[in-house]
Amino acid sequence: MVESPPGLEGQGFFATSLDSLVGLARANSLWPLPFATSCCGIEFMSTMASHYDIGRFGAERLSFSARQADVLMVMGTIAKKMAPVLKQVYLQMAEPRWVLSVGACACSGGIFDTYSVLQGIDRIIPVDVYVPGCPPRPEQILDGFMQIQELAKKESTRRRNMPEYKALLASYGIE
Amino acid sequence: MENLNNQQIIETLQNTFGENTIYGIGESHGILQITTHVDNIVPMMHFLYADPVLKFQFLTDLAGIHFPEAKGQELGVVYHLHSLENNVRLWIKAYAPIEAPNFPTITGLYASANWMEREAFDFYGIIFEGHPNLVRILNVDDMDYHPMRKEYPLEDATRHDKIDEMFGR
Amino acid sequence: MSEIALVNSPNVGLDKTQKGGPYVNDLSTLNLGPTHPATHGIFQNILTMDGETIIDAEQTVGYIHRAFEKIAERRPFYQITTLTDRMNYCSSPINNMGWHLTVEKLLGIEVPKRAQYIRVIMMELARLADHIVCNSILAVDTGALTGFLYVYQWREHIYEIYEELCGARLTTNMGRFGGMERDLSKVAIEKINVLLAGLPKGLKEFEGMVMRNRIFMDRTQNVGAISAERALNYGFTGPNLRAAGVDYDVRSLNPYSSYEDFEFDVPVGTKGDTYDRFLVREEEMWQSLRIIQQAMDNLPEGPYHADAPHYYLPPKQEVYKNMEALIYHFKIVMGEIDAPVGEVYQSVEGGNGELGFYLVSDGGRTPYRLKFRRPGFIYYQAFPEMIKGSSLSDAIVTMSSMNVIAGELDT
C-alpha cells in the first residue's frame, strides 16, 4: 500500500495539498521508455519479468512512444553514432519527464574508454538518477526507479517553468 | 570421404597456379596458411570453390591487419575458408602497400563478404575494387581516419575531462 | 521512433492513370529506426514499401560500436575475457570459454577433464539461457506475453548457478586460462539438479502454449524463409543454418573441451523459415539438457585447473608464504608474462552459431590483432533478402527469430 501524504483526515474526507496528491499519482504510475541498447537491457528484461516485477511500482506499461512516456531509462552503452538519436528521443518526451541512467556505460562510458563511445549520457541530456553497475542487479535498478519515484513525489508540479530547470536545459542546448 | 590433408591442398594449388604464386606456406595448429599475391585471390578462390575434391565453399571470416614495419606490405587481409564436407580449414593471406591498399572483392562469390569487406575498409582503409557499396559500416559516417591502424590511439582524442596525467598514461 | 514518411517518389515505371488514383503506385519509406520496440538491440532498417509489402531494406548498424578489437590490442590476455562477456550478452559463458580455449591453444596448456566437463555444463546452461530469450521474445513479438513470463523464471535459476561459480549474473567473466577459478560447490550441484528436474516441465508448459498454437503457427510458417544454398553463401551458422537444412554444428564437427564424450543430436529443419528456427532452438534446448545430465552423471574427479603457474594465479595462501608463488602472482597480475609468437583460430558453437577468435600474437603481453568472428554480424546481411515481398509484421517476426544481438553485431 502506498503511504498517504501528510494531510487532514476526517469522516469520509482527506484534505491535502494538490502538489502532494499529484506527486503521489505521478510517482506510482510512471510509464518508462526502456531505451535498452546492450547488456543492461537484458537485466531490465529480468526486472520486467515476474521475479523482480517492475509492475509493482506502476511501471507495467512500457511506452516506446516518447510522447507518452514519463521516465527515459537509458540502459546500456551509448555510442557517438547513437547520441543524436538519444537526444531526439529526449526532446520528443513531454513534460514532466525524468531520466534514469542505468549501468556504468550510460553513466560515464563504463569500461569503454574508446573513440566511439559517448562517455556518459549526461554530456547530452540532463540525468536525474544514476544507477551504477555492470550490469546492475535488478534490485539496484528497482532502487533507482524508487528514487525516481521520490523525485516525482516531491517535485513541484510546475518544475518545467522554474528558472533552475530552464537554466539546466539551456546548458545542454535544449530549448 | 577420405581425409584431405594440407599437402594435397598445396600440391593442387601449385599445380594449378604455379609454384611462385604461393609463398609463405605455414601451418598453425593444423590449419594451413598460404600467402599469395593480391591478384591471385579471386582466381584462387573460384578454383577452390569449384574444385570437386577441395570444395572450399564457406567463407568463415575476413580479417584486416596492419603491419606498420613491413614496408610495401603494410595492410593485409586474411581470408578464412572452410571446407565443410572435408572438415578442413585454410587461411589465404595477401598484403598490399599502404599507399595503394587495393584488393579485389569476393562478393561475387560469397555474399557474406559484403559486410566483412566494409568492416575491413572501415577499420583499415583497405579498398575492395568492385564492391557494391564500400562505405563505413560500424563507425560514424563522417569519421575521417581509419581507427584500427596502429598509429591511432584507442581513446577519443577530443575528450577534455579525462586527463592523461590523472590516468597515468 | 518509427517515423512514417510518405515520400511521393517519382513513379517507378507504372502509369498513374492505369490503376485510377494518384497515390496508388507510390512507394513509401518506413524507418524501422534504431529505437523500436520490436528490434532487439539497436540497428536500423529503412524499408521501402509498396503499401504493406516490403520492396527493399537498407540497413545501418554500428549504433553500439564499442571498438572491442582496438581495446583488445591494449589489454593483457586475461583482461580481454571481460570484453568477450559483452559480445553475445545473453550467453556470456560461451564467449568466455571460447576465448579461454583460443589462448590455451596458443599457450599450449592442457586443461584437465573435470574443468572441461564443468566448462561444458556452463556453456550448455548459457545456450539454454540464450534460446529461452530468443524463443520467448519471438512469442512476445507475435503477442504472446505469458510464455515469456513463465519461462523467464528458469533463467533466474540459471543466473543463480552462474553466481555460485563466478559471482556475476550476466557478464560472467567465468573461468581462467587452464580451467575454472573455483570448483562446483555443493550448492551449485544442488541447483543444477533442481534445474534439470524442473526445466523440462517449464519447457513443456511453454511449448504447450506456443508451439502448436494456431495463431503462432500462422504467423511464423513460411515467413522469412531462406534456402540452404543461400544460407551457406551468406555465411550462416548455428540454429539459423540448421533450420535451413545444413547440419553444421561446431560441437560435432570440430569438438572442443570434451564435447566428443557426450551423446547429443543436432536438430535440423527443412524450410528455413521462422517456425523451423523456433523449433530448432526448442529442440536444441532439450539436447542441452541431455548434455548437462550426462556431464553431471559422469563428472570426473580431479583438479579443476591445469598446473600452469605462469598463467593461472596461485592460491592466496601460497602467495603469502611461498616466494615463487609471490613472483608468479606479481607477474601474472602485472601482465609481465609474454605469450609465444603465433596465430591461432578457435571457434566454438555460440548461441547464434560459429563464434570464432582469430588471435595474432607477436610475443608481447597483449595481442597484436584479435578478430572476433561474430555470427550475428555475418548472417544479418541476409535480412533484406529474407523479407523481400513480405509484410512488416512478417519482417518483425523474422528479425526476432534470427536472434540478432546488437552487442555481437557491432562489437
Side-chain angles (χ1 to χ4, degrees):
Chain A
M1 288 299 291
V2 179
E3 249 184 57
S4 55
L8 209 61
E9 200 170 323
Q11 183 84 340
F13 74 94
F14 180 75
T16 179
S17 69
L18 182 65
D19 267 358
S20 35
L21 196 61
V22 172
L24 188 71
R26 275 183 181 164
N28 291 304
S29 67
L30 288 168
W31 287 2
L33 195 171
F35 201 95
T37 55
S38 60
C39 346
C40 288
I42 303 295
E43 280 299 49
F44 175 70
M45 279 163 63
S46 294
T47 315
M48 217 176 35
S50 40
H51 202 105
Y52 298 103
D53 197 9
I54 204 172
R56 301 179 271 170
F57 299 90
E60 178 72 43
R61 194 253 191 207
L62 303 178
S63 158
F64 285 92
S65 162
R67 285 276 193 240
Q68 299 172 8
D70 299 313
V71 186
L72 176 66
M73 299 177 74
V74 184
M75 300 171 285
T77 321
I78 300 293
K80 295 212 176 111
K81 203 167 180 177
M82 192 64 183
V85 178
L86 176 62
K87 186 143 189 184
Q88 199 181 10
V89 171
Y90 179 74
L91 291 175
Q92 286 173 341
M93 282 174 78
E95 290 286 352
R97 56 189 174 188
W98 293 273
V99 177
L100 177 65
S101 159
V102 176
C105 293
C107 295
S108 70
I111 64 174
F112 303 109
D113 184 10
T114 73
Y115 58 86
S116 63
V117 171
L118 188 70
Q119 303 293 305
I121 60 172
D122 52 7
R123 295 196 175 215
I124 49 171
I125 55 177
V127 175
D128 290 296
V129 175
Y130 298 86
V131 181
C134 193
R137 279 192 66 103
E139 289 99 334
Q140 288 174 272
I141 304 179
L142 289 175
D143 188 32
F145 196 79
M146 283 162 69
Q147 305 227 7
I148 297 264
Q149 285 188 320
E150 291 301 310
L151 283 179
K153 249 186 252 188
K154 304 271 169 42
E155 268 180 358
S156 111
T157 45
R158 284 283 136 186
R159 177 184 71 155
R160 74 197 78 168
N161 293 334
M162 293 163 64
E164 300 94 1
Y165 187 68
K166 288 192 173 169
L168 177 67
L169 288 192
S171 70
Y172 281 99
I174 302 172
E175 289 312 302
Chain B
M1 178 66 67
E2 56 179 71
N3 281 334
L4 187 67
N5 67 4
N6 293 339
Q7 196 52 38
Q8 264 175 291
I9 304 174
I10 300 174
E11 276 166 13
T12 320
L13 283 171
Q14 280 178 333
N15 291 340
T16 319
F17 290 97
E19 292 233 350
N20 21 354
T21 51
I22 300 173
Y23 39 91
I25 297 176
E27 215 177 87
S28 151
H29 299 270
I31 302 182
L32 174 66
Q33 30 172 315
I34 57 179
T35 314
T36 181
H37 193 260
V38 168
D39 299 325
N40 295 330
I41 296 173
V42 175
M44 216 179 263
M45 288 214 175
H46 273 98
F47 172 73
L48 288 165
Y49 192 99
D51 188 85
V53 171
L54 296 177
K55 284 197 168 191
F56 279 97
Q57 294 171 341
F58 192 76
L59 179 72
T60 305
D61 203 3
L62 194 159
I65 197 163
H66 181 216
F67 290 109
E69 295 95 36
K71 297 295 166 205
Q73 299 212 316
E74 287 93 353
L75 289 176
V77 174
V78 182
Y79 299 88
H80 296 236
L81 295 174
H82 192 178
S83 168
L84 289 172
E85 300 191 24
N86 297 323
N87 194 8
V88 173
R89 292 182 193 260
L90 170 68
W91 296 352
I92 300 182
K93 302 188 192 185
Y95 298 96
I98 203 163
E99 305 83 30
N102 301 318
F103 279 76
T105 186
I106 55 169
T107 45
L109 188 60
Y110 294 107
S112 55
N114 194 323
W115 279 15
M116 297 199 233
E117 289 178 351
R118 274 176 73 180
E119 193 187 358
F121 167 71
D122 190 359
F123 285 158
Y124 289 99
I126 299 174
I127 315 264
F128 290 92
E129 286 154 356
H131 192 278
N133 185 25
L134 194 66
V135 292
R136 286 190 184 270
I137 185 169
L138 293 177
N139 285 312
V140 284
D141 291 322
D142 51 359
M143 190 184 243
D144 51 6
Y145 67 103
H146 295 285
M148 281 286 283
R149 290 192 183 176
K150 291 290 176 186
E151 59 259 28
Y152 298 113
L154 169 65
E155 294 85 12
D156 178 10
T158 60
R159 74 193 196 288
H160 50 82
D161 59 342
K162 293 185 181 168
I163 325 170
D164 279 346
E165 300 171 343
M166 283 170 59
F167 282 82
R169 279 195 267 271
Chain C
M1 280 302 292
S2 64
E3 303 157 28
I4 303 179
L6 273 175
V7 175
N8 271 336
S9 51
N11 227 312
V12 266
L14 280 165
D15 193 353
K16 261 187 183 156
T17 58
Q18 268 183 343
K19 299 268 178 156
Y23 297 111
V24 171
N25 293 320
D26 283 330
L27 300 174
S28 58
T29 312
L30 181 70
N31 179 20
L32 207 58
T35 66
H36 189 279
T39 65
H40 315 293
I42 44 179
F43 30 88
Q44 184 183 34
N45 276 299
I46 301 182
L47 305 172
T48 314
M49 304 180 69
D50 177 15
E52 269 279 333
T53 322
I54 297 175
I55 309 284
D56 201 5
E58 190 192 308
Q59 299 163 292
T60 312
V61 296
Y63 284 105
I64 194 170
H65 178 54
R66 297 174 280 190
F68 277 26
E69 296 177 3
K70 187 88 184 174
I71 300 177
E73 291 177 6
R74 176 69 76 80
R75 294 187 174 196
F77 291 88
Y78 59 88
Q79 289 185 350
I80 296 175
T81 323
T82 53
L83 287 182
T84 56
D85 276 335
R86 289 149 174 87
M87 285 201 306
N88 182 345
Y89 35 75
C90 293
S91 54
S92 309
I94 301 183
N95 308 346
N96 294 145
M97 302 309 173
W99 172 240
H100 291 312
L101 287 165
T102 313
V103 177
E104 283 155 11
K105 204 173 186 178
L106 179 74
L107 302 175
I109 302 179
E110 182 76 41
V111 179
K113 269 292 187 188
R114 188 182 174 89
Q116 289 186 345
Y117 273 53
I118 300 178
R119 280 184 174 177
V120 165
I121 295 176
M122 290 300 138
M123 284 197 271
E124 294 305 315
L125 284 174
R127 197 184 314 281
L128 276 170
D130 201 346
H131 289 338
I132 287 177
V133 173
C134 181
N135 276 353
S136 54
I137 297 295
L138 175 59
V140 166
D141 279 346
T142 55
L145 191 58
T146 318
F148 162 77
L149 290 171
Y150 279 25
V151 93
Y152 235 68
Q153 290 278 52
W154 295 103
R155 253 184 129 239
E156 295 295 325
H157 281 260
I158 295 179
Y159 279 172
E160 284 181 22
I161 300 173
Y162 289 168
E163 275 179 336
E164 280 301 317
L165 203 65
C166 69
R169 283 162 53 102
L170 186 71
T171 50
T172 49
N173 193 13
M174 196 184 276
R176 303 282 178 259
F177 301 131
M180 306 294 290
E181 68 267 49
R182 55 178 71 87
D183 204 353
L184 278 180
S185 59
K186 280 205 219 21
V187 178
I189 294 182
E190 223 178 86
K191 289 193 173 173
I192 297 176
N193 287 329
V194 164
L195 185 84
L196 286 172
L199 183 52
K201 299 196 202 78
L203 277 184
K204 280 212 178 66
E205 198 176 31
F206 176 67
E207 286 176 14
M209 273 190 267
V210 170
M211 205 156 92
R212 301 299 295 173
N213 183 319
R214 189 74 249 161
I215 301 175
F216 185 75
M217 285 168 74
D218 279 344
R219 281 297 298 270
T220 54
Q221 279 179 333
N222 296 319
V223 165
I226 189 164
S227 67
E229 294 78 32
R230 288 308 287 162
L232 281 173
N233 206 281
Y234 267 109
F236 272 46
T237 45
N240 295 336
L241 179 65
R242 291 194 278 277
V246 180
D247 66 339
Y248 172 42
D249 186 333
V250 185
R251 294 175 292 172
S252 43
L253 200 65
N254 303 56
Y256 50 89
S257 189
S258 298
Y259 264 106
E260 59 268 15
D261 294 350
F262 300 106
E263 208 185 278
F264 60 97
D265 297 322
V266 173
V268 168
T270 46
K271 286 190 287 194
D273 61 2
T274 304
Y275 192 57
D276 273 356
R277 286 190 278 271
F278 174 82
L279 289 177
V280 163
R281 287 202 170 91
E282 203 58 45
E283 185 57 38
E284 277 189 16
M285 284 202 259
W286 290 106
Q287 296 302 318
S288 288
L289 281 171
R290 203 172 147 196
I291 297 177
I292 302 176
Q293 185 69 58
Q294 289 172 47
M296 290 298 287
D297 291 338
N298 306 330
L299 195 61
E301 296 300 324
Y304 55 90
H305 65 93
D307 182 25
H310 286 281
Y311 308 105
Y312 189 88
L313 279 174
K316 219 44 196 286
Q317 302 91 318
E318 294 296 311
V319 173
Y320 289 137
K321 290 192 295 208
N322 200 332
M323 189 60 185
E324 264 186 28
L326 176 68
I327 296 177
Y328 278 132
H329 181 104
F330 179 80
K331 287 176 83 169
I332 293 172
V333 170
M334 299 299 284
E336 297 292 316
I337 303 229
D338 291 341
V341 178
E343 297 173 38
V344 74
Y345 176 82
Q346 169 72 35
S347 60
V348 293
E349 178 74 18
N352 284 340
E354 177 180 348
L355 176 67
F357 299 86
Y358 174 54
L359 171 62
V360 178
S361 164
D362 64 345
R365 60 199 279 271
T366 66
Y368 186 81
R369 168 78 166 117
L370 175 56
K371 170 94 174 43
F372 300 106
R373 192 258 181 209
R374 298 104 58 204
F377 181 71
I378 294 173
Y379 63 58
Y380 187 52
Q381 298 174 70
F383 185 63
E385 190 175 305
M386 286 161 86
I387 59 167
K388 258 196 188 72
S390 59
S391 68
L392 180 61
S393 19
D394 288 343
I396 300 290
V397 163
T398 309
M399 200 191 301
S400 272
S401 75
M402 284 172 79
N403 201 23
V404 191
I405 295 187
E408 196 178 50
L409 199 63
D410 297 340
T411 60

